[in-house]
Amino acid sequence: MASLERQLGPKGFTRDPLAMEPWLSDWRGRVHGKAAALLSPANVDEVQAIVQLAAEARVAIVPQGGNSSMVAGATPSAAGDALLLSLRRMNAIRSLSPEDNVAIAEAGVILSDLHEAAARIGRRFPLSLGAKGTARIGGLISTNAGGTQVLRFGTMRSLVVGIEAVLPSGERFDGLSALRKDNRGYDLRQLLVGAEGTLGVVTAASLRLVPAVGARAVAWVGLAGPPAALTLLRRLEAATGESIESFEAMPANALAAVLRNIPGTRAPLAGTHEWNILVEATAPVGAPDPVDALTGLLGAAQEDELIEDAVVAASEAQAEALWKLRESIAEAERVDGPAAKHDVSVPVSAVPDFLVEARAAVEKRFAGSRVLAFGHLGDGNIHFNVQPPVGADGAAWLESEGAAVNAFVHDFVGVRGGSLSAEHGIGQLKLAEFARTAGPVRLHALQAIKRALDPLGIMNPGKLVPPPA
Ligand code: MLT
Ligand code: ZN
C-alpha cells in the first residue's frame, strides 16, 4: 500500500474517509460499501502498476466511473478489503477522426463531454441516457449501456470499435484500433463490453461516430395504451425509414411522478392520457426537416383515432423540455422512495400484453403494490418498477417483499423468453436472481471465462459472475 501511495501521489491515492465517502454507496443509496483506499490513476501506466501490485498481493479491485450504476456494480463490499479504482481522472479525448468516424476516449470521459466534442467536428456519438452528465465511457462500456437511441444505433456493444484495457494479470491489452473488420477469432473487445469490470479495467476505447444531425423533430403523444403505441411506431418507421431513433413510453403515473417531483416541469398536453410516447425523428444535414413529416403522420394517426393527442416541439427549448420529462423519471422515482426495480426485456411484439398482464398479476399477488412501468418501448426494454402500498414504510416493505417481487417479475419475464437485465447489467443487486434463473450452460460458460482471465478472482468480485455452487 505504501508503494502505491508513493507512486500515485496525493491526487491519486487517499484513505481519507471523507474523500472516499461519496463513492462508497450506489446512486440510489441502497448499497453501502467500504474500501481500503481510493485510487485515482492519471494514466494507463498507473492503472497497470495498481493491477500488478493487487495481483501480487491478492487484493481485490473495484473499478468505478461516474458511480451511476443501477445495480450497484461499482460499489465495493462491506468487508472493506478492496481497492476502489476510480477512472475519473482519466478523462482525455485522445483523438477525433472525421475520416475514420472514430473517437478515442479515455474511460473517465463524461458522456455529454463526448457528445460536445463530436459535435465540434460535425459528428455525433449516438448513445444517450438520462445520466449523460454523470456516466462515463468506461462504465458505459462495462455495462453495455443502452439508453434512448438503441432503436436505431444499438447498445454500447455496437459502438465500441476498439478497447484498451488492463487485464487481471496486469498486462495491457492494446486493442484501440479503428478497424471495422477484424476477424482474429475470439473478440476480447466484446468480452470486455458488459463484463462489469470482472475481466479487467477498461482504460480507453475507440468509439464509432455517425454524421451530425441536421434537424430533429421531437413529439409528445398521448394515447390509450401500448398496442396503439406499437402500431404507431411501425407506421412511423414505414413512412420515414431510419429517421425514427427514439420511441419512449411513459404511463400517466410516471409523468405524474415527474411533474410532482422535478421542479420546472409541466404537462405537455392539455388532458391526461393513460400512456404517453416521446418520439424523436432526425434528418442529416441538408435533408428536409423531419418536423413536417412527423406532424403530418401524427395528424393522420389522430384522425384515425390511433392516438388521442400530440404536440410537436416548435423549438429546441421545447424539445429539450419534452426530453427532460422522459429523462427525469428515474430521479422522480428516487424522490418518491424505495421501489422494487426491474430492467427487463421481452420481444417488442410481446410488450403490450406483458405490460397489462404483468401489472395485473403483480398488483394482485402483492396487495396494495403499485406498478410504475416505463421505458424503451421501441426496443422491448421496460423498467418495470413496483412501488410499496400507499402509506407503507417503503424500506421495510422492500426488505420483506422485495425478493419475492423480484422473483415473481423475473419468472413472468422468463416464461415469455425475456431477460432480467436489458441494459443495467447484473452488478450485485441482480446477482442472486441471475444465479437462480441463468441455467447451468450459461453459468458454466461465464464462470469458465472468468476463471481463465482472472484466476485469482481479484477483479470486481461479487459482481456479475455467480460463484460456482
Ligand atoms: C431510464 O431509462 O430512465 C434509465 O434506465 C433509468 C431507470 O431505469 O430508472
Ligand atoms: Zn433505461
Side-chain angles (χ1 to χ4, degrees):
M1 198 73 86
S3 79
L4 270 181
E5 188 167 4
R6 252 193 328 274
Q7 208 165 341
L8 299 173
K11 276 193 183 161
F13 184 102
T14 184
R15 306 182 78 169
D16 173 2
L18 272 182
M20 297 206 289
E21 202 266 335
W23 312 110
L24 294 174
S25 298
D26 73 311
W27 179 74
R28 246 181 162 255
R30 286 161 300 184
V31 182
H32 307 282
K34 291 195 184 120
L38 170 61
L39 313 180
S40 309
N43 54 51
V44 62
D45 292 334
E46 291 185 356
V47 176
Q48 231 182 327
I50 292 167
V51 178
Q52 279 163 358
L53 280 172
E56 269 164 41
R58 308 279 198 272
V59 174
I61 291 176
V62 178
Q64 190 182 81
N67 198 24
S68 52
S69 170
M70 288 286 185
V71 289
T75 308
S77 82
D81 49 5
L83 299 168
L84 187 57
L85 175 54
S86 165
L87 279 303
R88 284 179 287 274
R89 282 179 72 210
M90 289 186 61
N91 61 358
I93 296 176
R94 293 189 194 161
S95 65
L96 288 155
S97 165
E99 293 83 16
D100 283 327
N101 270 341
V102 162
I104 298 187
E106 292 186 342
V109 170
I110 292 176
L111 180 57
S112 53
D113 290 343
L114 180 62
H115 289 160
E116 285 166 22
R120 286 196 288 274
I121 61 155
R123 300 289 183 273
R124 73 176 162 137
F125 179 62
L127 183 134
S128 191
L129 34 73
K132 56 182 174 287
T134 316
R136 295 179 189 246
I137 293 304
L140 293 162
I141 291 173
S142 297
T143 56
N144 182 24
T148 49
Q149 291 167 338
V150 173
L151 182 61
R152 178 156 169 211
F153 296 104
T155 61
M156 197 67 178
R157 196 177 284 293
S158 61
L159 300 171
V160 176
V161 180
I163 273 194
E164 174 193 88
V166 176
L167 300 184
S169 59
E171 294 164 296
R172 184 190 306 189
F173 172 57
D174 278 317
L176 270 189
S177 85
L179 298 178
R180 293 308 172 93
K181 295 178 100 172
D182 178 5
N183 228 349
R184 288 176 284 178
Y186 302 149
D187 193 340
L188 192 44
R189 164 193 58 156
Q190 290 295 3
L191 267 183
L192 289 162
V193 178
E196 302 186 17
T198 63
L199 300 179
V201 183
V202 173
T203 51
S206 351
L207 300 163
R208 183 181 148 210
L209 301 178
V210 299
V213 167
R216 68 169 177 168
V218 177
W220 190 275
V221 180
L223 41 67
L230 201 48
T231 307
L232 176 68
L233 169 63
R234 296 306 180 219
R235 254 201 208 191
L236 296 178
E237 283 178 333
T240 65
E242 288 255 278
S243 94
I244 303 295
E245 50 184 76
S246 300
F247 198 86
E248 299 285 312
M250 290 139 285
N253 59 349
L255 177 59
V258 171
L259 298 175
R260 187 168 63 239
N261 296 330
I262 308 294
T265 53
R266 63 182 190 85
L269 299 173
T272 312
H273 304 273
E274 280 294 307
W275 281 83
N276 303 271
I277 303 292
L278 188 151
V279 190
E280 177 164 315
T282 66
V285 177
D289 191 320
V291 163
D292 293 343
L294 192 59
T295 307
L297 288 162
L298 292 176
Q302 200 167 347
E303 263 171 39
D304 295 347
E305 295 183 4
L306 179 62
I307 66 173
E308 295 167 351
D309 198 1
V311 61
V312 180
S315 65
E316 249 320 283
Q318 277 181 18
E320 283 298 320
L322 295 180
W323 266 114
K324 183 171 178 183
L325 295 172
R326 163 62 187 92
E327 290 184 331
S328 301
I329 300 176
E331 179 59 28
E333 274 195 292
R334 184 164 78 150
V335 175
D336 271 346
K341 286 174 70 87
H342 309 90
D343 164 41
V344 301
S345 59
V346 292
V348 177
S349 61
V351 171
D353 285 350
F354 167 77
L355 281 168
V356 173
E357 290 164 15
R359 177 178 184 164
V362 166
E363 290 181 346
K364 181 163 177 238
R365 166 74 180 73
F366 299 93
S369 70
R370 296 158 300 144
V371 167
L372 190 152
F374 66 97
H376 318 286
L377 178 59
D379 51 63
N381 174 193
I382 300 299
H383 300 304
F384 190 91
N385 301 333
V386 184
Q387 298 177 317
V390 176
D393 174 338
W397 179 84
L398 200 58
E399 183 65 30
S400 69
E401 302 290 334
V405 175
N406 293 158
F408 190 84
V409 172
H410 293 153
D411 287 344
F412 211 89
V413 170
V415 296
R416 284 157 180 80
S419 166
L420 57 68
S421 176
E423 63 171 3
H424 293 167
I426 301 297
Q428 22 185 337
L429 294 182
K430 308 281 176 204
L431 191 61
E433 277 294 277
F434 183 43
R436 182 180 73 84
T437 56
V441 177
R442 187 186 288 269
L443 276 186
H444 292 160
L446 212 73
Q447 288 158 348
I449 293 168
K450 171 74 174 168
R451 259 196 319 277
L453 285 175
D454 183 18
L456 303 174
I458 58 166
M459 288 308 310
N460 212 7
K463 318 284 166 43
L464 175 61
V465 188

